[in-house]
Amino acid sequence: MPTAHDLQPDVREEDRVLQFREDVLKGLKSGTKRLSSKYFYDAKGDALFQQIMHCPEYYVTRCELEIFRGQAADLVRAITMKDKQPFDLIELGAGDGIKSRHLLRALQEQPCEFTYIPVDISGNILSYLEESLADLNGLNILCLEGEYFDMLAEATKISANRKVVLFLGANIGNMPVYEAEKFCDQLRNALQPGDIVLMGFDLKKNPQTILNAYNDEAGITRDFNLNLLTRINRELDGNFDLDTFTHYQTYDPETGACKSYLVSSTEQTVTVAGTPISFQEGEWIFTEVSQKYSMKEIEVLAANSGFSMDTTFFDSKRWFVDVIWIA
Ligand code: AVI
C-alpha cells in the first residue's frame, strides 16, 4: 500500500501562498469585495470549525451525525451493492471524519474490501483524521491533500476499483447554486456508470433556525469569519484591524442562500501584500454562502447532472438529508 506522501503531487507551499495572494487581491479589488470561504481553514480555522460543530445553534453536524449513527447499516447496504467487489471510498472535504467513522466501522463488519481515501485541502486536518482513525484496525487509508478533482483524478490513476464518493456535511452548500451545478456535472464526468455518490444537503426550514446557526451567541462563527483577516495579515503581510470589521449574516428563505459578510465599521485603507485596499464606512466583504435546498431542488440537481437519485436518509426532524446518487 503506497503511503500518502508517495502519492502527494508536488504542491509547494510557495505556490499555495502565491495562489492565496492572487485570489485575495482579485477578490478585494473587485467591485463587490469577496474572499473565498475555502481559505477559512488554516489551523486556527479548523479549530474554530470544530467548535462551531459543537455550538448549540449549529444543528447541521448533529443532524447528519444522527443519520450516520442510526442508519449506518442501511447506508452500508446502499453503497456496497450486491456485487461485493472491492471499492474506493473517497471522501471529498473529509474534515475530522467523525461521521464517516460510523460508516467505516459498519463497513469493516462486512465481507467487503475497500480503501478509504479522505481528500482535504487542509493537510493539518488530514493528519488529525488519520490519527483519530488509528483504532480502526486493518483500515486501508490513503490521505490525499489537495483540490477535489485533482485528487479524484489521482485516486482514479491509483486504482480501477469502483468509486463511492462521499461529499458530506453540506459542503455542497458552500458553493453558489450555479457552481454546485458545475461541480455535479464535473463529478458525474469523473465517474463511471455504476459509481456512487453519497451527498449531504442542509434542507430549507424555519429561516430563524438557519440564521441562528450562523450567528451563535458565543460568537464562534464571528471569530471563524474574522480569522480569514488574521490569516491574510499573517500570510500576506496585511494590516487589517479586526476591531474595525464585524460579522454580518443573512438568510433569504426564498433562494435558500445563507450568506456571511465582514463589514467595515469605518472608512479606511488596508494594505495587503503591498497593495492598498480602500473601504467605505459600511462596505462589506462577502465571505461565504451556505446554500439550503428543498428536496425538489436536489432531485433537479441530480437529474441535470446525469445522476439517478437512489436512496434518501433523513434525520428525525427532516432538517438534513443524505442522498445516494448513482452515476
Ligand atoms: C463546512 N460548511 C458546510 C459549513 C456550513 O455550514 O456552511 C461552514 C460553516 N460556516 C459557518 N458555520 C459553518
Side-chain angles (χ1 to χ4, degrees):
M1 192 73 205
T3 68
H5 276 289
D6 297 331
L7 297 159
Q8 223 46 249
D10 185 20
V11 184
R12 289 180 305 137
E13 182 56 19
E14 214 176 290
D15 294 339
R16 232 196 293 262
V17 175
L18 276 178
Q19 186 64 56
F20 182 41
R21 180 180 185 275
E22 190 183 317
D23 289 349
V24 165
L25 289 179
K26 189 168 171 228
L28 291 180
K29 287 198 288 187
S30 73
T32 46
K33 295 183 171 59
R34 51 189 59 245
L35 291 168
S36 168
S37 61
K38 74 177 178 189
Y39 292 121
F40 279 151
Y41 302 93
D42 62 355
K44 182 80 196 293
D46 286 341
L48 285 166
F49 185 54
Q50 294 288 319
Q51 288 185 46
I52 287 176
M53 289 193 286
H54 290 101
C55 282
E57 297 92 337
Y58 192 74
Y59 60 83
V60 182
T61 311
R62 275 189 301 280
C63 288
E64 197 176 32
L65 200 51
E66 184 197 313
I67 296 173
F68 272 73
R69 277 204 186 115
Q71 302 175 62
D74 295 330
L75 282 163
V76 163
R77 217 166 294 126
I79 65 176
T80 53
M81 304 180 84
K82 286 149 226 112
D83 60 10
K84 297 277 185 274
Q85 289 300 307
F87 62 92
D88 293 333
L89 186 69
I90 304 172
E91 183 167 9
L92 304 179
D96 66 2
I98 286 186
K99 288 161 294 230
S100 348
R101 156 179 283 278
H102 294 277
L103 187 63
L104 293 170
R105 262 220 210 103
L107 279 168
Q108 282 192 309
E109 285 163 14
Q110 300 296 312
C112 60
E113 202 185 302
F114 70 97
T115 303
Y116 176 52
I117 308 182
V119 173
D120 208 286
I121 195 168
S122 164
N124 176 59
I125 203 87
L126 284 173
S127 315
Y128 172 84
L129 172 66
E130 198 167 9
E131 253 171 56
S132 74
L133 294 176
D135 61 311
L136 297 185
N137 292 329
L139 177 72
N140 287 330
I141 177 167
L142 168 68
C143 297
L144 294 180
E145 179 187 346
E147 299 281 345
Y148 296 156
F149 287 106
D150 295 343
M151 295 305 108
L152 201 51
E154 192 70 26
T156 306
K157 267 192 249 156
I158 297 164
S159 99
N161 286 349
R162 185 167 71 84
K163 306 286 182 247
V164 175
V165 176
L166 308 180
F167 196 42
L168 308 175
N171 281 336
I172 186 87
N174 293 135
M175 301 174 199
V177 173
Y178 69 90
E179 231 177 69
E181 288 166 354
K182 250 186 12 202
F183 173 86
C184 293
D185 276 352
Q186 210 177 337
L187 187 56
R188 174 61 192 86
N189 291 330
L191 298 175
Q192 297 299 317
D195 286 345
I196 286 180
V197 172
L198 174 59
M199 191 153 353
F201 290 87
D202 192 17
L203 294 170
K204 287 179 173 168
K205 60 185 69 64
N206 186 324
Q208 195 61 53
T209 305
I210 292 175
L211 194 58
N212 292 349
Y214 295 83
N215 238 344
D216 61 283
E217 262 187 40
I220 315 289
T221 311
R222 176 201 61 214
D223 293 350
F224 179 65
N225 200 6
L226 280 166
N227 181 54
L228 195 43
L229 303 186
T230 308
R231 182 176 187 179
I232 293 172
N233 284 350
R234 188 183 60 244
E235 293 184 23
L236 301 179
D237 195 19
N239 65 354
F240 278 104
D241 173 1
L242 268 63
D243 291 336
T244 62
F245 284 87
T246 51
H247 168 70
Y248 177 68
Q249 193 70 36
T250 66
Y251 176 62
D252 176 355
E254 290 182 27
T255 62
C258 187
K259 293 183 173 179
S260 306
Y261 299 88
L262 288 166
V263 180
S264 174
S265 52
T266 177
E267 186 182 336
Q268 59 180 316
T269 299
V270 175
T271 306
V272 175
T275 306
I277 311 283
S278 51
F279 287 86
Q280 304 291 314
E281 187 269 307
E283 192 175 349
W284 63 91
I285 311 172
F286 168 54
T287 54
E288 184 179 51
V289 64
S290 299
Q291 182 68 37
K292 310 305 172 192
Y293 285 85
S294 67
M295 281 313 293
K296 183 78 212 149
E297 287 162 341
I298 295 170
E299 281 161 22
V300 170
L301 186 60
N304 287 350
S305 42
F307 285 104
S308 58
M309 195 71 177
D310 191 63
T311 331
T312 47
F313 299 88
F314 295 93
D315 65 298
S316 52
K317 294 199 200 80
R318 294 180 84 87
W319 281 3
F320 195 95
V321 68
D322 280 298
V323 296
I324 293 218
W325 290 354
I326 315 238

